[in-house]
Amino acid sequence: MRRSDAICPSALLGLLLALAPTPGSAFYFPGTAPTSYKKGDAVPLFVNRLTPTESRNDPKLRSAFSFDHYDPHFHFCQPEGGPKYIRESLGSILFGDRIQTSPFELKMATNETCKSLCGPQEYAPEDATFVNQRILNGFDFNWLIDGLPAAQLVTESEYDEPFYSPGFDLGRAPEVQMPDGGSDVVATLNNHYDIVIDYHEASKDNFRVVGVIVEPSSYADNAQYINNAEGYCGNDQNPVVLSIDAGQASSVTFTYSVWWRLSPTPFATRWDKYLHVYDPKIHWFSLINSAVIVVFLIGMVSTILVRTLKKDIARYNRLDQMALDDFGDGGAIEDGVQEDSGWKLVHGDVFRPPKHPLLLSVLVGNGAQLFMMTGLTIAFALLGFLSPSNRGALGTVIIIFYTLFGFVGGYVSSRLYKFFQGESWKLCFFYTPFAIPSFAFATFFLLNLFVWGRGASGAVPFTTMLVVVIIWFVISVPLSFAGSWLGFKQAAIEPPVRTNQIPRQIPPTGGYLRPLPSMALAGILPFGAIFVELYFIVRSIWFSKVYYMFGFLFICYGLMIMTSAAVTVLMIYFLLCAENYHWQWRSFCTAGASAFYVFASALIYWMKDVSFFSWTSGVVYLGYSALLSVLVFVLTGTIGFLASGLFVLKIYKSIKVD
Ligand SMILES: *[C@@H]1O[C@H](CO)[C@@H](O)[C@H](O)[C@H]1NC(C)=O
């Protein structure tokens, strides 16, 4: 095996990202350097965890847990000396990968048929029940050959080319006629694997793996055909059904055949057939839809707002002038005062610090941190650095960015706290790096306890959690303190108008300006901008699919920012015109309200596409959905707050107040 030279598009960024430097002269992203084999070289096959997904006759998701390939219930054949874990990146482990060695022996460009994996395996009734349940839940094998996932060939509609969908069935659950005339679903275990590998000849006797398909079958009689040279390994009319009757153990032999197909696909494009855009029309539709909303909103903000504002400001300043002119004879002042209405009236209160300034500062600081992390991650993904061929890179990058942007979080939170004339500095320093991260981590930890409790091996190992906590304490917390310190040292943002001593009475606000209607109304727009991409992301997480439509995601993220900002500014303008000056929390919650829609959509998704067999799966699903919604709340809330803050500063700067 030798590394050959693949050119990466941007060496500088590659250097930044190359956490695991590859030996050799060229820059590689981890996992993307091609491996070349000679004919007959051993090509390792690694096994990853088993994941739940939809199955042929059941489009719904039935479980939220995944299982280790070598979970003792499965009795899958192990390599000599026991399986070993393959080293993985932190992101890969956090996202659930558990990659281990296997007993398969594949030789480059050498067809082999009906090889036995190990001796017959006995399934006691308890194990049979467990395995049958996993088959009915639609679990998939996930194998990796040379970094490529073993896939099943799937055709989505009759017009589409078939594509490679990673993962293949643990078993099938066909409906069979029972002797009494009814029908029943019987789980059959796949115990024979036809591994079809596409290989490409890069140069003479220099081969590369460019595609992997596994066609699994269930043969109860495959033990008779071991090493059959004709390639006939069993009768598919006679599948393996594990018996769950007490005292009856089932014996299963596992076999495989390997077929090597020469392919014209070069290494560089080997992932293309795996990356299938489900329903591209729907992405375009949603994109255009939200773009129209944004254009409409921005148009509204700019015409109504800018124009009315200009008029307002001109009028206020003219009135000021008149009042000054008429000061001597005191004639027309009443006239002017009468006209002096709207947002100018609250100038003495609009910069009065809100209730709970500490909490708001901490939330906005954390939101800024999330905002930077999300934006930069999506941008990196867009540039192609986080493609699925780069296993775990996405998770790793998210953690790195989140850790580093602790600095931004601290800075924003303490500057804001100073602006709010806060006094409890120590608390502000302390809560900023701890509030949202500990909340997220605690949720994550509790949900993992559930997964552990279920005995599912999809749980994140304790050591990995420890690593995350250490990274957070050693890097993120000090950075956040440093940011807070910098923000604390800087001069406070000066409000352009003085705050009155006595708070002004707020006239009762009615209609859509009441808190709940305004939130419900405004929150739906940012949600509308992201919800289609969100659907695909959530789906890719629960159904263990690859998500890579980062181009769409990038634009949607931009649209969401613009909608959040525009709609909140508009709402705050109306609020101030109604002489209500409590804009700070209102702007945060107005934009943040989109999180409620995110959670509601998770519930709808549950009703539509998910139907768990166990309540623990439901808890895990709800827990992660709630966590996601809280993060969205903080993120969009921050966007709304910062946009309104700038807006309020700007408009009150432009009027003259005596
Ligand atoms: C392996 O078998 C397949 C199917 O019979 C055939 O197309 C292919 O050429 C064979 N490959 C080799 C290397 O013999």
Side-chain angles (χ1 to χ4, degrees), residues 39 109-111 199 258-262:
K39 190 173 158 74
T110 314
N111 282 352
Y199 68 110
V258 194
W259 310 96
W260 293 84
R261 293 191 308 204
L262 201 58

Side-chain angles (χ1 to χ4, degrees), residues 46 53 75 185 218 242 244 264 315 343 386 405 473 558 587 604 608-609:
F46 297 136
T53 184
H75 295 282
V185 176
S218 185
L242 299 180
I244 55 170
R315 185 163 57 89
W343 52 269
L386 309 179
F405 286 129
F473 264 108
S587 62
I604 292 172
K608 217 179 108 275
D609 281 5

